[in-house]
Amino acid sequence: MPYFSVIIPVYNRPDEVRDLLESLSNQTSHDFEILLVEDGSTLPCRSVANDYSEKLDVHYYYKENEGRSIARNYGMEKASGEYFIFFDSDCVIPESYFEIVRKELERNYADCFGGPDKAHESFSDIQKAINYSMTSFLTTGGIRGGKMLLEKFTPRTFNMGFSRKVFESVGGFREMFSEDIDMSTRIRQAGFSIRLIRPAYVYHKRRTSLKLFCRQIYIFGMSRISLYLLYPDTLKIVHLLPAAFVLGSLAMIIASFFWPYAILPLLFYLLAIFGVSLFSNKNLKIAALSVITSVIQLGGYGIGFMKAFFLKILLGRGRDETEEIRLRKGK
């Protein structure tokens, strides 16, 4: 039996699944099986899975649309490996990924691990800009696996793994906002070890348009309040910064009508984002787009955070689990 079981929930992403399976077929180590769980798609990827059946140990399952978490749990129930690894369907995996992970676990075993994500050179300029805004220390504080971190690293399901023992002890994912952070928190609270394996990165396509990215990041902001209601001690200063950005930017813009220099801190910050992105990507267009995606990232998250704070905490409505599931189904 393979050591790793790779579990991938899929919803209407046959082209992305093809890219993902192609990258998995080129791995230097093949000690893994693949479980594709089609979550009620109207554009199924069964034919794509069949195309790779001779190259990979791939198992395809189709189920009704219930959400990503339930699809992942379904895959774990079917898995035969000792260690489960989770990718999003819009990921591309570097060829030495499994070789690196196996060596790292043999050298310094962890019950659960996560890795960072990057943009592949083939990605569009918008995808590269979104990647920058989601991984830069200037915008997220490095919380997704950066070299500088403002909070303890938390694995996320675009690049995450944990042992069968963890699953048997903690259970599966809950169908909720930020289910991967919830899962990582429960794993840590159960006393299991968690580590970041920085060399085990993936290429993450993320959203392909600014509109889709804005919606996604808005939900991320709302989800932080849901997590706070479950785990009050997990809310950190870094999670408040997007809301501070929204309120601070609004205050500076209004003040600039009376004193023009009031806008300078915001302009300097956006200039820093542009400069760091230009240094990283070596492309003026991507650097300019990075300013836009960073404003969307901070603004969308901050607005979602403040709205959820007002409704769920100040008005005392708490979590609406039915609404969370509705927003997540088929996404």
Side-chain angles (χ1 to χ4, degrees), residues 4-5 7 73 76 81-86 109-114 155 157 160-168 170-173 183-184 187 192-193:
F4 295 112
S5 290
I7 299 163
N73 295 341
M76 285 189 283
E82 288 302 313
Y83 212 99
F84 304 151
I85 290 183
F86 304 90
Y109 183 80
D111 302 297
C112 173
F113 83 91
T157 46
M160 177 184 187
F162 52 76
S163 68
R164 178 179 291 276
K165 182 179 179 181
V166 167
F167 173 54
E168 292 172 348
V170 178
F173 293 91
M183 185 69 179
S184 295
I187 290 172
F192 291 104
S193 58

Side-chain angles (χ1 to χ4, degrees), residues 72 86-88 97 112-117 134 140 142-145 151-161 173 178-182 184 202 204 206 220 224 227 239 301:
R72 291 188 183 104
F86 304 90
F87 298 133
D88 285 349
Y97 179 92
C112 173
F113 83 91
D117 56 340
M134 290 296 288
T140 62
I143 61 176
R144 299 172 74 90
E151 73 157 345
K152 187 177 295 184
F153 173 71
T154 301
R156 287 165 167 80
T157 46
F158 61 79
N159 183 8
M160 177 184 187
F173 293 91
S178 294
E179 75 284 1
D180 44 9
I181 301 177
D182 168 75
S184 295
V202 301
H204 196 185
R206 303 186 188 281
F220 284 173
R224 179 48 62 180
L227 291 166
H239 304 131
Y301 190 104

Side-chain angles (χ1 to χ4, degrees), residues 256-275:
S256 68
F257 287 101
F258 305 97
W259 186 53
Y261 295 106
I263 200 70
L264 285 179
L266 176 60
L267 294 180
F268 285 142
Y269 176 65
L270 297 179
L271 183 62
I273 289 174
F274 177 87

Side-chain angles (χ1 to χ4, degrees), residues 112-163:
C112 173
F113 83 91
D117 56 340
K118 298 182 179 182
H120 192 269
E121 60 182 12
S122 66
F123 290 2
S124 70
D125 290 342
I126 286 181
Q127 287 175 315
K128 291 176 181 177
I130 290 175
N131 178 78
Y132 170 83
S133 65
M134 290 296 288
T135 58
S136 172
F137 182 79
L138 289 174
T139 53
T140 62
I143 61 176
R144 299 172 74 90
K147 292 184 179 180
M148 295 185 292
L149 303 174
L150 287 183
E151 73 157 345
K152 187 177 295 184
F153 173 71
T154 301
R156 287 165 167 80
T157 46
F158 61 79
N159 183 8
M160 177 184 187
F162 52 76
S163 68

Side-chain angles (χ1 to χ4, degrees), residues 225 228-229 307-318:
I225 296 300
Y228 168 75
L229 292 172
K307 178 182 177 181
F309 180 83
F310 177 76
L311 295 176
K312 298 180 181 182
I313 295 179
L314 294 184
L315 296 185
R317 295 182 182 178

